[in-house]
């Protein structure tokens, strides 16, 4: 895997104004000061609870929501784009280089279009082909990569299962020849057996086409199967980031450890050992001071309530945002 960076962000923030009236508007910080590096050809995972900002981060990198502060760059060796100011013809060009695979395969496809027309739509909208024959050739090529046959192309989405629909969604994302794909909970709505098939398809396509994926998920077992590097998000911030195996073998942040302890185990002796987190994730419009996790952390002290911890490097490629990660690593089993 090349270590040339495709996506790089520094202190990236995304904010939304909510409410109405001059005095009642609030600022929702969906993404707050995110710095990540995604190497070309990698499978980069982002995990966290619902409301942690995972999807908003992915959409910001796709230029689907405005970036409020910070820096974000895309560089595939052919073009170098500043995503914070991208507009006009450059934004149109970026659309074919960065694509999204949606979570729900049932809602993502138009019931009034055939599979052929669904996959061909990006080519026609972006003007990437000059004739119907060229479009059909490209559609057939991508459909074959996604294990769809010619008979499938004539049908409508209602004739397919969830796994087949997701393969159609993947084909639509690939047809424009992108370099970067955000897969937003792309197997969450599928049965477990179908999940494995779709994940193996994504990994196969990634290797064959040299693609870079941001894989957003709440399922840690899925992330362990697919991703090279994982960033753990909580309330719009990254609390821990490391290569996948290193993170699973030696998690440092209390939140990460709590997530790992909740993974179901087939070992009867491991049952009942999950670290329960008290309370709910705080509202993004009313975030606590200091460490965002201190309201639910069993190890929080006064400094956690006052000061926000930086994202410190504890090992090569492994960073953690916690005031007490060193003593917790010594005293609390990972």
């Amino acid at each position: 895997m090349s270590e040339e960076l495709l996506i790089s962000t520094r202190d990236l923030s995304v904010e939304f104004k909510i409410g109405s009236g001059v005095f009642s508007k609030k600022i929702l910080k969906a993404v707050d000061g995110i710095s990540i590096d995604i190497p070309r050809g990698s499978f980069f995972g982002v995990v966290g609870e619902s409301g942690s900002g995972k999807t908003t981060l992915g959409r910001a990198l796709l230029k689907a929501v405005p970036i409020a502060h910070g820096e974000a760059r895309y560089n595939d060796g052919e073009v170098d784009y500043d995503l914070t100011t991208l507009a006009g013809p450059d934004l149109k060009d970026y659309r074919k280089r960065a694509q999204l695979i949606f979570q729900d395969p049932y809602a993502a496809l138009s019931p009034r279009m055939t599979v052929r027309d669904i996959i061909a739509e990006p080519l026609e909208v972006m003007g990437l082909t000059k004739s119907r024959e060229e479009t059909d050739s490209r559609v057939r090529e991508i459909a074959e990569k996604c294990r769809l046959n010619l008979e499938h192309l004539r049908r409508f989405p209602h004739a397919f299962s969830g796994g087949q629909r997701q393969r159609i969604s993947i084909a639509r994302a690939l047809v424009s020849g992108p370099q970067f794909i955000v897969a937003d909970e792309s197997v969450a709505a599928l049965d477990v057996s179908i999940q494995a098939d779709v994940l193996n398809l994504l990994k196969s396509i990634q290797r064959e086409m040299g693609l870079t994926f941001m894989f957003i998920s709440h399922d840690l077992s899925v992330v362990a199967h697919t991703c090279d590097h994982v960033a753990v998000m909580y309330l719009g911030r990254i609390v821990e980031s490391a290569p996948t195996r290193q993170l699973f073998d030696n998690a440092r942040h209390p939140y990460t450890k709590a997530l790992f302890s909740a993974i179901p185990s087939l070992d009867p002796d491991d049952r009942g050992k999950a670290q329960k987190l008290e309370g709910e994730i705080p509202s993004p419009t009313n975030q606590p001071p200091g460490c965002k996790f201190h309201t639910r952390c069993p190890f929080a002290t006064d400094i956690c309530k006052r000061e926000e911890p930086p994202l410190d490097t504890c090992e090569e490629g492994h960073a953690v945002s916690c005031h007490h990660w060193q003593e917790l690593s010594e005293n609390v089993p990972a």
Side-chain angles (χ1 to χ4, degrees):
M1 182 182 69
S2 172
E3 286 303 315
E4 296 179 9
L5 299 181
L6 183 75
I7 297 285
S8 180
T9 75
R10 293 295 177 268
D11 297 321
L12 178 70
S13 296
V14 177
E15 299 176 353
F16 300 101
K17 291 182 179 180
I18 60 175
S20 59
V22 177
F23 301 105
S24 60
K25 286 186 178 179
K26 294 183 179 180
I27 300 297
L28 186 154
K29 289 188 176 182
V31 172
D32 187 10
I34 296 292
S35 297
I36 57 172
D37 293 320
I38 304 179
R40 294 175 63 180
S42 67
F43 223 105
F44 189 94
V46 181
V47 300
E49 293 174 282
S50 297
S52 62
K54 308 183 302 295
T55 294
T56 303
L57 174 61
R59 291 179 181 270
L61 297 182
L62 291 173
K63 197 60 179 177
V65 295
I67 296 171
H69 309 288
E71 302 175 3
R73 300 203 72 87
Y74 168 93
N75 187 343
D76 62 10
E78 183 179 344
V79 297
D80 184 1
Y81 289 142
D82 180 353
L83 301 183
T84 60
T85 59
L86 196 61
D90 287 343
L91 178 57
K92 183 178 179 180
D93 178 65
Y94 184 62
R95 293 290 183 226
K96 71 180 182 183
R97 299 174 186 271
Q99 287 288 317
L100 172 68
I101 300 173
F102 292 93
Q103 174 178 351
D104 188 350
Y106 294 92
L109 306 178
S110 172
R112 295 180 176 85
M113 298 173 68
T114 65
V115 171
R116 181 267 173 201
D117 292 340
I118 289 171
I119 299 175
E121 187 175 25
L123 297 176
E124 296 167 346
V125 170
M126 299 178 187
L128 299 178
T129 51
K130 298 180 181 179
S131 65
R132 183 178 178 87
E133 291 74 18
E134 186 180 354
T135 300
D136 287 341
S137 176
R138 178 62 176 165
V139 168
R140 288 194 296 268
E141 177 188 351
I142 291 299
E144 184 179 357
K145 289 183 185 294
C146 296
R147 304 171 193 166
L148 300 167
N149 59 42
L150 292 179
E151 178 61 28
H152 290 153
L153 298 179
R154 303 187 186 99
R155 300 179 186 175
F156 290 86
H158 72 266
F160 297 92
S161 65
Q164 289 172 319
R165 292 188 190 203
Q166 197 60 294
R167 290 203 295 273
I168 296 169
S169 296
I170 293 170
R172 180 177 59 185
L174 294 176
V175 75
S176 65
Q179 294 294 312
F180 178 55
I181 292 182
V182 175
D184 186 8
E185 301 275 15
S186 55
V187 297
L190 306 178
D191 293 338
V192 174
S193 59
I194 305 302
Q195 284 185 10
D197 181 64
V198 172
L199 290 173
N200 290 334
L201 174 63
L202 291 177
K203 291 293 287 185
S204 174
I205 289 172
Q206 182 218 11
R207 289 191 295 266
E208 182 180 347
M209 302 179 67
L211 302 178
T212 304
F213 276 81
M214 171 181 276
F215 189 81
I216 299 170
S217 181
H218 65 273
D219 191 332
L220 289 164
S221 58
V222 168
V223 169
H225 177 71
T226 56
C227 297
D228 310 311
H229 193 103
V230 181
V232 181
M233 289 189 67
Y234 183 82
L235 208 61
R237 297 187 65 85
I238 291 179
V239 297
E240 190 162 6
S241 177
T244 305
R245 182 46 51 202
Q246 190 171 326
L247 186 72
F248 275 71
D249 289 343
N250 192 19
R252 303 299 186 99
H253 197 282
Y255 178 63
T256 310
K257 294 182 180 184
L259 291 180
F260 285 166
S261 73
I263 300 175
S265 174
L266 296 177
D267 186 350
D269 295 332
D270 287 340
R271 295 176 185 175
K273 293 184 178 180
Q275 300 177 27
K276 295 182 180 180
L277 295 178
E278 299 294 336
E280 299 292 333
I281 186 170
S283 169
T285 61
N286 187 26
Q287 298 188 17
C291 175
K292 308 304 180 188
F293 186 59
H294 86 258
T295 59
R296 303 172 69 193
C297 180
F299 310 106
T301 61
D302 288 341
I303 191 174
C304 303
K305 300 174 184 179
R306 297 192 312 268
E307 300 178 16
E308 188 168 333
L311 193 63
D312 288 332
T313 300
C314 54
E315 298 175 62
E316 184 177 356
H318 192 160
V320 60
S321 176
C322 177
H323 289 297
H324 304 298
W325 68 264
Q326 290 176 308
E327 56 258 43
L328 293 178
S329 299
E330 297 172 358
N331 301 322
V332 181

